[in-house]
Amino acid sequence: MALVEINFDGIVGPSHNYAGLSAGNLAATKNAGMTSRPRDAALEGVDKMRANLKLGLTQGILLPHDRPDDRWLESLATNYADAPPHLKAQALSASPMWAANAATVSPAPDTPDGRCHLTVANLVTMPHRSHEWPETLAQLRLAFAHPAFAVHLPVPAPFGDEGAANHMRLCEHHGDRGVEIFVYGESGGPFPARQRREACEAIARRHKLAPDRTIYAQQSAAAIAAGAFHNDVVAVANERVLFAHEQAFEDKAGLYADIARVAPWAEIVEVPAAKVSLADAISSYLFNAQLVTLPDGTMTLIVPSEARDTPAVWTWLQSMLAGNGPIRRVEVVDVRQSMANGGGPACLRLRVVSDTATVDERFLVDAAKLDRIASVIETKWPEEIAGPDIGEPALIDRIRTARTALFETLYLSDLLTINPVR
């Protein structure tokens, strides 16, 4: 079985709007009420996937959820027409586009049964995200229906779990046995800590990970207070490299010692706070980048254009490339619509190490399939959504028509009729 890393990007849904629903996500709250451009946002995501394919990476997709979520509103004894504005916004959110929050993934080399285990994230901290998991579960169970996978229900509330955005894996090569690092938060600042240690431990038990190759690390309170609502805003790992801000972890020395003990081959690339402040790291999403290994073995960092636009960040990246470190290339992508709602390149993708032959091919893409997806987006996605628009029945009809057209184009109409498990 040939194991490769597949990046499954969430296609930005036709209901993409700026409602500012995510406390602690500084970009999302800053841009609340602004006019969004769903068509541009989705096409930016497609272009990012095209660029990944050109780099030789394997690319998959996850699809937009049904919006507004009428089942969720029904559970609140209302409907979209009668719901108060805040429930309308929460029911319409396109946040499933951020596939890094879809699930936590433990590849087959790390598990005793030799299967890739995925636990769907519950996202219970934020109301607008708490109702994502049933549709995510339906998609993952279809995409990963092969016996090579085990797809699990979410950890129950109140133990908040936000998926791969708070999980890292170190390994010498993707197909080798790895060390899994779960990052959790503790309350104490102005913003909520979204990942509970209890959730991390439950997932590790469920995936039957070896305790001596599982690490739990606390995200620093300073990082959360500065707007690092997920660990992947201040740290990212790929194969043997951990790329992190100096202030990412509460007990940095303890974490680094644990890594040295179980993964002596690992390399830590740390960005000093004196060179790049937490504020610059978070606003530029330097760490919410895709750190990937190309087919020739070159490790590459895929950053948003905001990283290039932030002088301290771009200066540090150039100095890194001038050195002899493990990260040898930096690629820049434009995902400004996603960034304005608080999610960068890493937020948009879920990493799964597997054999492509075991994945439902409808969830894998090549250039031709991306062209078909782009054609649907160009003709069906709304061009703009202003704040007052979310109450308009015509907009809701267009959102649902657009999503149906995409599913039909990808031969995934069976997902339209699945009644998600609740």
Side-chain angles (χ1 to χ4, degrees):
M1 181 179 293
L3 300 181
V4 298
E5 181 181 78
I6 310 170
N7 287 282
F8 288 86
D9 276 41
I11 295 175
V12 180
S15 70
H16 165 67
N17 69 96
Y18 298 139
L21 301 173
S22 190
N25 185 327
L26 301 185
T29 54
K30 173 185 175 183
N31 293 307
M34 299 287 286
T35 296
S36 68
R37 301 184 65 83
R39 187 183 305 167
D40 288 348
L43 292 174
E44 285 172 359
V46 170
D47 284 344
K48 179 172 87 74
M49 288 189 272
R50 285 190 177 118
N52 283 354
L53 288 176
K54 289 178 181 177
L55 290 172
L57 302 174
T58 306
Q59 185 67 55
I61 52 170
L62 294 175
L63 283 78
H65 291 195
D66 186 22
R67 290 293 179 264
D69 188 342
D70 288 335
R71 292 188 183 93
W72 183 66
L73 290 171
E74 183 181 352
S75 73
L76 294 168
T78 189
N79 57 52
Y80 196 75
D82 298 334
H86 71 284
L87 289 184
K88 273 188 170 73
Q90 290 163 358
L92 196 67
S93 171
S95 54
M97 63 196 258
W98 292 308
N101 300 121
T104 302
V105 183
S106 294
D110 298 355
T111 66
D113 64 1
R115 294 191 292 169
C116 178
H117 286 252
L118 300 93
T119 291
V120 176
N122 61 33
L123 296 162
V124 296
T125 306
M126 298 291 165
H128 71 289
R129 306 213 65 178
S130 66
H131 54 99
E132 288 180 23
W133 73 261
E135 272 199 67
T136 299
L137 178 69
Q139 288 196 37
L140 296 184
R141 283 183 167 171
L142 186 59
F144 306 117
H146 191 278
F149 299 94
V151 180
H152 303 284
L153 288 164
V155 174
F159 305 111
D161 169 40
E162 307 232 337
N166 294 303
H167 174 261
M168 300 182 291
R169 180 174 184 259
L170 292 170
C171 54
E172 293 189 77
H173 301 94
H174 290 306
D176 296 337
R177 191 181 185 199
V179 174
E180 301 201 16
I181 303 172
F182 292 83
V183 183
Y184 61 94
E186 293 289 348
S187 184
F191 303 127
R194 303 188 187 183
Q195 186 75 27
R196 293 279 292 272
R197 177 166 179 146
E198 294 91 340
C200 298
E201 291 170 341
I203 294 167
R205 289 192 298 269
R206 180 176 287 167
H207 295 186
K208 295 182 170 57
L209 301 178
D212 63 344
R213 299 182 71 84
T214 304
I215 297 172
Y216 301 98
Q218 182 182 337
Q219 186 176 1
S220 79
I224 294 172
F229 51 99
H230 292 139
N231 173 69
D232 68 1
V233 179
V234 284
V236 61
N238 177 63
E239 292 194 325
R240 69 186 187 279
V241 173
L242 170 61
F243 178 54
H245 192 271
E246 179 185 3
Q247 296 173 295
F249 306 106
E250 194 68 19
D251 180 12
K252 178 184 71 172
L255 171 61
Y256 290 0
D258 286 342
I259 291 172
R261 174 177 50 82
V262 296
W265 35 261
E267 300 181 59
I268 297 171
V269 178
E270 184 181 271
V271 180
K275 297 292 186 180
V276 176
S277 67
L278 268 176
D280 278 348
I282 291 167
S283 66
S284 68
Y285 273 20
L286 166 62
F287 297 96
N288 196 249
Q290 290 183 246
L291 183 57
V292 297
T293 303
L294 304 187
D296 64 2
T298 303
M299 202 168 292
T300 298
L301 190 68
I302 301 170
V303 299
S305 54
E306 285 79 356
R308 183 179 54 199
D309 297 340
T310 305
V313 169
W314 195 245
T315 297
W316 189 89
L317 285 172
Q318 298 312 301
S319 68
M320 177 192 72
L321 293 177
N324 195 32
I327 303 172
R328 304 307 308 151
R329 289 178 60 178
V330 172
E331 297 286 335
V332 178
V333 295
D334 180 359
V335 287
R336 292 185 185 276
Q337 282 286 314
S338 177
M339 287 284 290
N341 220 356
C347 284
L348 288 163
R349 62 93 177 93
L350 180 71
R351 307 164 81 170
V352 180
V353 173
S354 68
D355 183 344
T356 56
T358 63
V359 178
D360 188 319
E361 63 180 7
R362 293 174 294 178
F363 290 86
L364 299 174
V365 296
D366 56 15
K369 187 179 288 188
L370 287 178
D371 286 345
R372 297 204 305 274
I373 292 170
S375 178
V376 174
I377 292 167
E378 287 166 349
T379 56
K380 301 294 185 181
W381 257 233
E383 186 174 358
E384 293 185 346
I385 297 179
D389 295 343
I390 68 170
E392 294 296 325
L395 173 65
I396 303 308
D397 288 345
R398 184 168 188 184
I399 287 168
R400 289 198 157 128
T401 298
R403 177 175 178 267
T404 298
L406 177 65
F407 278 54
E408 290 174 347
T409 296
L410 297 173
Y411 306 104
L412 282 164
S413 298
D414 43 344
L415 271 174
L416 294 170
T417 58
I418 288 177
N419 185 19
V421 176
R422 289 197 176 270

